[in-house]
Amino acid sequence: MDRHYRNTRQVWQRKVTVSKEKKMKARRRLLAIFVFFLFIWGVLGFVRSGFFSLETIELVGNTYTTESQILESLQIHEGENIWELSPGQLAERVESIARIESASVYRKLPRTLVVDVTEKGTLCLVPYREYLFAVGFDGTILGVTNDPQNYGLPLVTGIAPLELKVGDLLFSGERLERTTELITAMDGAGIAVSEINFSDEENLVLVTMSGLTVWLGRDGFQEKAGLLAQIMGQLTGRQDEGYLDLRVPTAPAFHILNDSND
């Protein structure tokens, strides 16, 4: 009897001990969960506090896109919580600007947003009324300017733009391909171009920065650019006397304008 009593008591004591340990573990878990949620609540409260109110927007990479254009596209205001702004969504808004190729937006804690943009390359300028269209390599109007010196790019004349605005397509198809080929070829040959005239689609007329007028025909601009680079030095000081005809690259000719036999 005594042995049975002792065994029963030991079993009961072990059960009591196990039960206490389980209760302690449960309490520790509850305490850990409470502390965790308390910590999260504190972090969220801090993140949403005025410590992270937007004060500054830094712009990087914009040369021709104005600060006001970018700030307007962001559609945000000073004082907004920086954590409640979506960098991806803000980047998409900036990329809606015609001149912007790509944009990235990131936070510089605690109160600054950085907007880093890459602008589209400008192919040429097209005179229109009292200003100039800046046209991209995709033929889209990227912006307007009154000062061609800001770009150092050739003017494309002899075309009559319709009522267009920034973001509209000005060049497309064959005209865009020929313009791009010609400008790229001349740039590769180191020839500074002042103007390209499209009045006659079968004979594009180019004017160099030195004032030499060149008839180029409608194609083969890569070959003709190399030929022009070789000939230009021989015509230094004679730019005003006539024009250089490269329509047939195997038979280049400099025509004197006051020559009655020309």
Side-chain angles (χ1 to χ4, degrees):
M1 292 290 293
D2 291 341
R3 180 183 297 176
H4 176 74
Y5 174 76
R6 286 195 298 271
N7 291 339
T8 302
R9 186 177 181 181
Q10 290 173 354
V11 171
W12 180 81
Q13 288 177 340
R14 283 198 296 270
K15 287 182 177 179
V16 171
T17 301
V18 170
S19 178
K20 288 182 178 180
E21 290 178 353
K22 286 183 177 179
K23 288 182 179 179
M24 289 296 293
K25 288 182 179 179
R27 289 174 181 174
R28 284 196 292 268
R29 289 197 189 99
L30 288 174
L31 180 60
I33 292 172
F34 174 75
V35 171
F36 173 76
F37 279 106
L38 185 64
F39 173 76
I40 294 299
W41 180 81
V43 169
L44 290 176
F46 178 61
V47 166
R48 292 172 179 172
S49 70
F51 185 74
F52 294 103
S53 295
L54 178 64
E55 286 186 354
T56 306
I57 299 176
E58 294 182 6
L59 304 183
V60 180
N62 60 309
T63 300
Y64 301 111
T65 311
T66 64
E67 178 179 334
S68 60
Q69 283 179 294
I70 296 176
L71 295 180
E72 183 179 350
S73 71
L74 287 170
Q75 301 174 32
I76 57 178
H77 305 284
E78 184 179 348
E80 292 189 58
N81 188 284
I82 199 170
W83 290 108
E84 295 178 355
L85 301 173
S86 169
Q89 186 179 64
L90 295 177
E92 289 180 1
R93 292 176 184 175
V94 176
E95 288 171 353
S96 68
I97 301 174
R99 196 187 292 277
I100 300 300
E101 180 73 36
S102 63
S104 62
V105 178
Y106 56 91
R107 305 178 184 93
K108 184 189 287 186
L109 300 178
R111 302 182 184 88
T112 300
L113 272 183
V114 179
V115 182
D116 191 347
V117 302
T118 300
E119 296 178 324
K120 293 179 181 178
T122 308
L123 176 65
C124 61
L125 303 175
V126 177
Y128 182 61
R129 295 183 176 177
E130 70 278 7
Y131 49 85
L132 301 166
F133 283 143
V135 181
F137 282 85
D138 59 356
T140 301
I141 299 172
L142 304 181
V144 295
T145 181
N146 291 316
D147 185 4
Q149 301 303 319
N150 287 340
Y151 291 82
L153 294 170
L155 299 179
V156 174
T157 59
I159 61 175
L162 302 175
E163 292 295 327
L164 299 176
K165 62 183 182 301
V166 173
D168 288 344
L169 188 66
L170 179 57
F171 290 161
S172 62
E174 184 180 356
R175 175 172 286 179
L176 176 59
E177 292 176 6
R178 294 170 69 196
T179 305
T180 302
E181 179 189 354
L182 175 51
I183 292 176
T184 302
M186 294 298 163
D187 184 62
I191 299 170
V193 178
S194 172
E195 179 184 345
I196 301 169
N197 187 278
F198 270 85
S199 296
D200 182 355
E201 294 280 354
E202 296 301 313
N203 179 33
L204 303 191
V205 177
L206 177 145
V207 180
T208 68
M209 283 294 187
S210 62
L212 177 63
T213 300
V214 186
W215 289 15
L216 291 171
R218 61 171 291 110
D219 52 27
F221 302 129
Q222 193 70 41
E223 178 185 4
K224 293 171 182 177
L227 183 59
L228 176 58
Q230 298 176 31
I231 295 175
M232 282 183 62
Q234 304 172 28
L235 297 175
T236 302
R238 301 186 60 191
Q239 294 90 337
D240 296 334
E241 296 180 16
Y243 64 91
L244 177 62
D245 189 345
L246 295 182
R247 287 175 294 178
V248 181
T250 55
F254 184 69
H255 297 277
I256 306 300
L257 290 177
N258 61 1
D259 189 343
S260 59
N261 296 322
D262 197 20

